Amino acid sequence: MKLNIALLAGDGIGPEVIDQAVKVCDAIAIKFNHDINWKPALTGAAAIDAVGDPYPDETHEICMNSDAVLFGAIGHPKYDNDPLAKVRPEQGLLKMRKELGLFANIRPTFTFPSLIDKSPLKRERIEGTDLVFLRELTGGIYFGEKGRKDNGNTAFDNCVYTKEEVLRLAKKGFELAMTRSKKLCCVDKANVLETSRLWRETVQGLEKEYPEVEVSYEFVDAVAMRLVQWPSSYDVLITENLFGDILTDEASVISGSMGLMPSASVGENNSLYEPIHGSYPQAAGKDIANPLATVLSAAMMFEDAFGLKEEAQAIRNVVNKSLVEGIVTEDLSENKTAYKTSEVGDWLTENI
Ligand code: IPM
Ligand code: MN
């Protein structure tokens, strides 16, 4: 199969972890007889430095003309510490999500049996955890009107949702639940927020179309708590943009390292695969970052964007093998020798 993949390495550790995923994908392509055409493009601070725009039109064209996008990370401290910066790397990410129509962000959280004791949570609490967040990605407070008034002394960020936006995300949630244990949790703050009441009402309206799915409605604060108390009690969770941003970071620690969790962002016509971690600038260029979240994102890409399940499974198998054999970066190595980012990538490639 011919696979056209846009390659957006981005900032910080992005290029290093992307390099490993490319090596792994190329090895898979040889093994399964595919032809990958990588199309690198600029994004984030790297794009601001080069052309003054964190998501240049040329990058958008490349993404639109690809079958999938593989993405590293975005963000640079020189912008974080400058509240007056006119243009920020993160704007590129938001613009990219909006322009590619990536309204559903799929973030799984699962445990690896070989790493269960790496989790800050007790083994008996997390064993068997296998949940998926579906985070709405192109609406809510991230994209509502924002600004200042009173000479800059008052600031506002509006949270806005249309029924249509909730509906398309919720449908994906029900469909995903049907392929899993048929349990769906709608996470909101309907005791306070009007947008949450619209979410709840819309999801309730869909229940009759999916009579087999058991739906629960929980407030976001309670979910934040139960997520670390009994994560294995959840399966598919749907939620709005900001709640999803926060809860998926919280959920990522369950597995033991943020460097392990992949994600997919999908829309009607495009899909993008990225690790859930950020650009981790302190580690940039040191060859120490964990590449597995990006490698596992590539596995999601093979399966979801191209329907290539065996290829995806081959990647997951080799990742599991590396964990069992202790071929891991310093976030997971503990008393063992830590491998470099590139060494982990080489090992995975050789073992494919
Ligand atoms: C994420 C990130 C982004 C977000 C930032 C970098 C804009 O935290 O993908 O979760 O808030 O969505
Ligand atoms: Mn986030």
Side-chain angles (χ1 to χ4, degrees):
M1 195 170 167
K2 199 161 172 49
L3 314 174
N4 283 308
I5 306 175
L7 194 61
L8 275 51
D11 304 323
I13 58 169
E16 296 159 56
V17 292
I18 280 285
D19 277 351
Q20 312 319 311
V22 166
K23 287 196 271 194
V24 166
C25 292
D26 285 341
I28 289 287
I30 293 171
K31 188 179 165 93
F32 291 88
N33 210 7
H34 299 300
D35 179 8
I36 303 184
N37 177 18
W38 296 108
K39 298 190 282 183
L42 286 171
T43 184
I48 300 178
D49 292 346
V51 296
D53 181 347
Y55 185 60
D57 292 345
E58 200 192 330
T59 299
H60 183 59
E61 280 306 301
I62 291 176
C63 292
M64 289 301 282
N65 294 319
S66 302
D67 304 316
V69 181
L70 189 61
F71 183 82
I74 236 173
H76 195 286
K78 76 178 171 202
Y79 299 95
D80 296 343
N81 302 328
D82 176 8
L84 299 176
K86 286 267 172 311
V87 51
R88 302 177 172 279
E90 288 79 5
Q91 288 165 345
L93 186 60
L94 301 183
K95 188 169 157 208
M96 178 171 77
R97 288 172 178 168
K98 196 74 170 176
E99 292 192 357
L100 293 175
L102 307 172
F103 64 86
N105 183 215
I106 305 165
R107 295 188 168 182
T109 286
F110 43 86
T111 51
F112 297 87
S114 55
L115 293 182
I116 223 119
D117 296 316
K118 291 280 181 312
S119 174
L121 304 179
K122 292 196 185 88
R123 167 184 281 271
E124 63 271 23
R125 297 260 162 182
I126 58 165
E127 259 172 347
T129 297
D130 180 10
L131 57 85
V132 189
F133 271 97
L134 239 89
R135 165 188 174 195
E136 201 292 325
L137 205 57
T138 51
I141 197 168
Y142 273 61
F143 292 94
E145 194 192 343
K146 57 180 86 249
R148 297 276 181 120
K149 39 191 192 188
D150 304 335
N151 295 323
N153 294 319
T154 303
F156 59 93
D157 295 275
N158 285 351
C159 182
V160 181
Y161 268 109
T162 65
K163 192 170 186 97
E164 207 39 56
E165 286 172 322
V166 181
L167 210 49
R168 63 185 182 179
L169 191 278
K171 276 189 179 155
K172 277 208 181 296
F174 276 98
E175 273 150 29
L176 185 61
M178 284 301 287
T179 68
R180 296 171 51 99
S181 75
K182 302 195 172 118
K183 267 179 23 190
L184 181 72
C185 177
C186 172
V187 184
D188 61 33
K189 189 72 187 170
N191 51 346
V192 178
L193 303 177
E194 201 54 45
T195 42
S196 284
R197 289 192 274 269
L198 177 69
W199 269 75
R200 209 172 259 223
E201 175 186 306
T202 307
V203 176
Q204 278 166 345
L206 272 178
E207 277 190 47
K208 53 183 177 309
E209 288 180 36
Y210 302 89
E212 288 173 62
V213 178
E214 183 196 321
V215 188
S216 64
Y217 298 86
E218 292 183 33
F219 297 139
V220 61
D221 45 354
V223 173
M225 186 175 68
R226 197 170 125 200
L227 200 54
V228 285
Q229 278 181 322
W230 290 116
S232 60
S233 64
Y234 288 116
D235 195 322
V236 179
L237 302 102
I238 53 174
T239 193
E240 63 93 57
N241 206 342
L242 182 61
F243 296 162
D245 177 48
I246 298 166
L247 292 178
T248 54
D249 263 29
E250 186 193 359
S252 76
V253 302
I254 296 169
S255 68
S257 169
M258 217 192 181
L260 290 168
M261 289 297 123
S263 80
S265 300
V266 302
E268 299 303 343
N269 304 310
N270 297 294
S271 58
L272 175 144
Y273 300 82
E274 62 172 313
I276 89 148
H277 60 69
S279 59
Y280 190 14
Q282 306 87 322
K286 294 191 180 150
D287 205 17
I288 57 170
N290 190 339
L292 295 185
T294 313
V295 169
L296 290 170
S297 301
M300 281 181 98
M301 175 179 76
F302 276 105
E303 180 157 3
D304 301 348
F306 305 128
L308 299 171
K309 284 194 166 47
E310 241 185 284
E311 288 77 347
Q313 200 48 49
I315 297 178
R316 293 184 186 122
N317 289 346
V318 79
V319 165
N320 280 332
K321 192 169 165 205
S322 73
L323 293 174
V324 170
E325 298 195 13
I327 316 299
V328 292
T329 41
E330 66 176 33
D331 51 317
L332 296 173
S333 67
E334 222 162 90
N335 303 324
K336 293 180 222 132
T337 334
Y339 284 73
K340 295 283 179 196
T341 309
S342 55
E343 289 171 338
V344 172
D346 290 341
W347 191 93
L348 295 172
T349 307
E350 280 154 26
N351 281 270
I352 288 168

